[in-house]
């Protein structure tokens, strides 16, 4: 099999915005640089960023659909993050020193019956992805189109919050990659597991409203999975347009 990288995405603050990249340099046994580098712990959590903890410790789109519409831009030199939302003025802040600004900015996006955001934490060991290993999420455009066809409308790829998108493959081919190595650009990644999905996929990334039952669509294939999680075995540069091949 061969394919091509069609887009690259990172999410500097978990569940609080996505950012497109033209290229990225992957590092062995690390998440995609700056991906889920920060997360927002809620008031029922003791998470402080010193170690990886499960997603249930954080404010997420599965509980607050409006967060799905947030876009992000990170200045790697200064550490400043710019967040935008269709219903709000942009927020420019430093997550390490001014987390309260983010908590205030998102306060009215959180349903009243959900835990409140309490503090922004910085990941000390690995990005706060949903796996307990430093994963990078690989997504197949053909599988995405299959889901769009099943629900009868064009869907945004951002429902899946993936890192590396690729095309030129068969639908669901990625599920055959478990425990196999892929060369993507100059990097080599090993696929570890499928990604089981949640209600966050029902959130429209343009409006922040729930509008499509994605899980029911996936059920028609007898699973609720989309994309696969991989680890970096050999670091290297990956850019949009790079070749993807199974080794």
């Amino acid at each position: 099999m061969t394919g091509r990288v069609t887009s690259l995405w990172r999410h500097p603050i978990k569940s609080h915005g996505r950012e497109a990249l033209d290229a990225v340099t992957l590092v062995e046994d690390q998440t995609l640089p700056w991906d889920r580098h920060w997360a927002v712990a809620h008031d029922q959590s003791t998470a402080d960023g010193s170690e990886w903890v499960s997603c249930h410790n954080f404010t997420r789109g599965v509980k607050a659909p409006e967060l799905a519409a947030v876009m992000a831009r990170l200045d790697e030199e200064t550490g400043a993050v710019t967040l935008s939302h269709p219903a709000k003025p942009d927020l420019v802040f430093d997550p390490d020193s001014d987390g309260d600004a983010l908590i205030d900015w998102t306060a009215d996006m959180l349903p009243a019956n959900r835990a409140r955001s309490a503090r922004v934490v910085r990941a000390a060991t690995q990005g706060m992805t949903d796996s307990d290993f430093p994963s990078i999420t690989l997504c197949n455009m053909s599988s995405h189109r299959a889901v769009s066809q099943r629900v009868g409308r064009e869907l945004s790829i951002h429902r899946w919050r993936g890192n590396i998108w690729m095309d030129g493959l068969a639908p669901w081919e990625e599920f055959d990659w478990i425990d196999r190595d892929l060369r993507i650009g100059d990097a080599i990644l090993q696929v570890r597991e499928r990604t089981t999905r949640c209600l966050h996929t029902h959130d429209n990334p343009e409006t922040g409203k729930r509008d499509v039952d994605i899980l029911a669509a996936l059920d028609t294939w007898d699973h609720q999975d989309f994309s696969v999680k991989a680890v970096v075995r050999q670091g290297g540069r990956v850019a949009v347009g790079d070749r993807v091949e199974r080794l």
Side-chain angles (χ1 to χ4, degrees):
M1 54 71 69
T2 58
R4 294 285 178 182
V5 176
T6 55
S7 61
L8 298 166
W9 296 87
R10 68 183 176 192
H11 309 77
I13 305 171
K14 185 179 181 72
S15 280
H16 291 69
R18 58 192 178 272
E19 178 180 20
L21 303 171
D22 294 323
V24 64
T25 299
L26 302 183
V27 178
E28 183 178 350
D29 293 328
Q30 294 293 322
T31 49
L32 189 142
W34 297 98
D35 188 53
R36 280 83 171 186
H37 191 72
W38 294 276
V40 182
H42 55 65
D43 58 10
Q44 304 300 308
S45 168
T46 60
D48 61 5
S50 61
E51 60 182 1
W52 181 91
V53 294
S54 75
C55 60
H56 302 291
N57 287 273
F58 303 117
T59 300
R60 298 170 293 140
V62 67
K63 304 294 186 181
E66 284 199 47
L67 293 177
V70 176
M71 294 288 292
R73 188 171 68 254
L74 167 68
D75 185 327
E76 295 183 14
E77 292 187 4
T78 67
V81 174
T82 301
L83 299 182
S84 59
H85 184 279
K88 288 181 169 289
D90 287 359
L91 172 69
V92 183
F93 75 112
D94 184 335
D96 288 329
S97 61
D98 196 16
D100 287 346
L102 170 61
I103 291 170
D104 292 343
W105 191 77
T106 57
D108 60 357
M109 299 186 199
L110 309 184
N113 62 340
R114 297 299 185 184
R116 311 312 294 173
S117 296
R119 60 196 174 279
V120 177
V121 300
R122 182 184 182 118
T125 56
Q126 69 178 64
M128 292 293 183
T129 62
D130 287 351
S131 61
D132 60 2
F133 59 90
S135 61
I136 293 176
T137 304
L138 311 181
C139 302
N140 181 353
M141 283 298 303
S142 292
S143 301
H144 173 73
R145 287 191 289 267
V147 179
S148 292
Q149 291 166 2
R150 189 60 51 93
V151 302
R153 60 180 286 185
E154 185 174 348
L155 299 172
S156 167
I157 65 171
H158 302 306
R159 290 178 186 264
W160 311 111
R161 305 174 309 284
N163 295 129
I164 301 178
W165 280 87
M166 54 198 73
D167 208 352
L169 311 167
W172 311 115
E173 179 179 341
E174 62 275 24
F175 293 165
D176 297 330
W177 299 343
I178 306 301
D179 296 326
R180 301 294 298 269
D181 287 350
L182 302 179
R183 183 182 299 278
I184 306 178
D186 296 331
I188 296 177
L189 291 83
Q190 182 183 69
V191 178
R192 287 283 184 87
E193 61 186 37
R194 290 156 63 149
T195 309
T196 300
R197 293 299 173 164
C198 66
L199 286 173
H200 197 357
T201 57
H202 294 198
D203 304 341
N204 187 311
E206 279 72 49
T207 66
K209 307 301 180 184
R210 244 167 222 167
D211 61 356
V212 180
D213 192 339
I214 298 296
L215 296 183
L218 292 174
D219 278 335
T220 65
W221 285 284
D222 297 322
H223 62 73
Q224 291 191 338
D225 301 337
F226 187 91
S227 76
V228 291
K229 297 171 184 167
V231 294
V232 181
R233 288 170 51 84
Q234 175 182 301
R237 185 177 186 272
V238 176
V240 173
D242 277 351
R243 184 184 180 93
V244 179
E245 57 183 341
R246 193 169 68 185
L247 301 179

